[in-house]
């Protein structure tokens, strides 16, 4: 499974916004510069994030975007789904009873990949934007690397 640029950039931009807003709007140009993301691409993403109720825009001089609620109340899954980024690990259409084979059957590993997508969604739903900005997202990746190093000895 691969998360597209759209989902990754939306999360990066929202984290930047959460860190830099401090009760004042943040210009998208500033986020674009700090995160090295195209301004026009950010404008598209923030249009979707605004429709999804995650940000609000402030017009006029000193305008920009602000979070619509606290970072503790925004889940990473909310951000990804707001930019129309499905979490998909199979070739089949999400929610379709038809499989990815020509005869509409499901492959032998379909349930495995579908459950992986469910686990990814559950994990992203368990992590808040505040968790990311406060660097409280520490999984087992270090443990896995440590295990591989120990197992190789």
């Amino acid at each position: 499974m691969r998360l597209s640029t759209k989902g990754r950039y939306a999360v990066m931009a929202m984290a930047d916004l959460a860190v830099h807003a401090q009760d004042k709007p943040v210009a998208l140009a500033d986020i674009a510069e700090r995160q090295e993301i195209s301004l026009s691409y950010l404008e598209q993403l923030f249009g979707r994030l605004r429709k999804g109720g995650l940000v609000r825009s402030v017009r006029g001089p000193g305008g920009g975007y602000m979070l619509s609620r606290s970072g503790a109340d925004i889940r990473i899954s909310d951000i990804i789904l707001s930019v129309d980024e499905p979490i998909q690990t199979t070739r089949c259409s999400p929610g379709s009873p038809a499989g990815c084979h020509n005869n509409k059957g499901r492959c032998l590993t379909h349930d495995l990949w579908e459950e992986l997508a469910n686990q990814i969604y559950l994990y992203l739903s368990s992590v808040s934007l505040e968790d990311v900005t406060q660097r409280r997202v520490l999984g087992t990746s270090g443990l896995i690397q440590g295990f591989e190093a120990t197992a190789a000895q």
Side-chain angles (χ1 to χ4, degrees), residues 92-98 106 114:
C92 307
S93 299
S96 171
R106 291 184 174 197
E114 192 159 295

Side-chain angles (χ1 to χ4, degrees), residues 16 20 25-36 39 42 63:
D16 186 287
H20 290 96
V26 176
L28 285 186
D30 295 339
I31 296 172
E33 184 177 329
R34 282 189 295 267
Q35 298 303 318
E36 300 177 0
L39 178 58
L42 271 184

Side-chain angles (χ1 to χ4, degrees), residues 10 13-14 17 26 28 41-59 64-69 74 78-84:
M14 287 289 286
L17 179 62
V26 176
L28 285 186
Y41 196 66
L42 271 184
E43 288 169 345
Q44 293 173 28
L45 291 177
F46 271 74
R48 292 177 177 182
L49 292 166
R50 188 176 48 76
K51 286 180 184 174
L54 299 178
V55 298
R56 61 185 177 89
S57 61
V58 178
R59 295 184 178 262
Y65 284 87
M66 299 179 72
L67 297 178
S68 63
R69 54 189 190 261
I74 297 175
D78 297 336
I79 298 169
I80 292 170
L81 294 175
S82 286
V83 295
D84 297 328

Side-chain angles (χ1 to χ4, degrees), residues 80-153:
I80 292 170
L81 294 175
S82 286
V83 295
D84 297 328
E85 186 64 29
I87 298 167
Q88 185 176 356
T89 53
T90 64
R91 294 187 300 178
C92 307
S93 299
S96 171
C100 54
H101 286 273
N102 289 335
N103 66 1
K104 304 297 182 203
R106 291 184 174 197
C107 66
L108 189 58
T109 58
H110 179 88
D111 292 337
L112 170 70
W113 303 128
E114 192 159 295
E115 184 56 25
L116 174 62
N118 291 337
Q119 292 300 318
I120 292 168
Y121 176 78
L122 288 172
Y123 173 70
L124 295 175
S125 295
S126 75
V127 178
S128 72
L129 187 57
E130 184 178 272
D131 291 334
V132 172
T133 60
Q134 297 298 313
R135 300 187 184 271
R136 292 191 299 243
V137 182
L138 180 60
T140 59
S141 59
L143 294 176
I144 291 172
Q145 290 173 355
F147 174 75
E148 289 171 355
T150 305
Q153 293 176 351

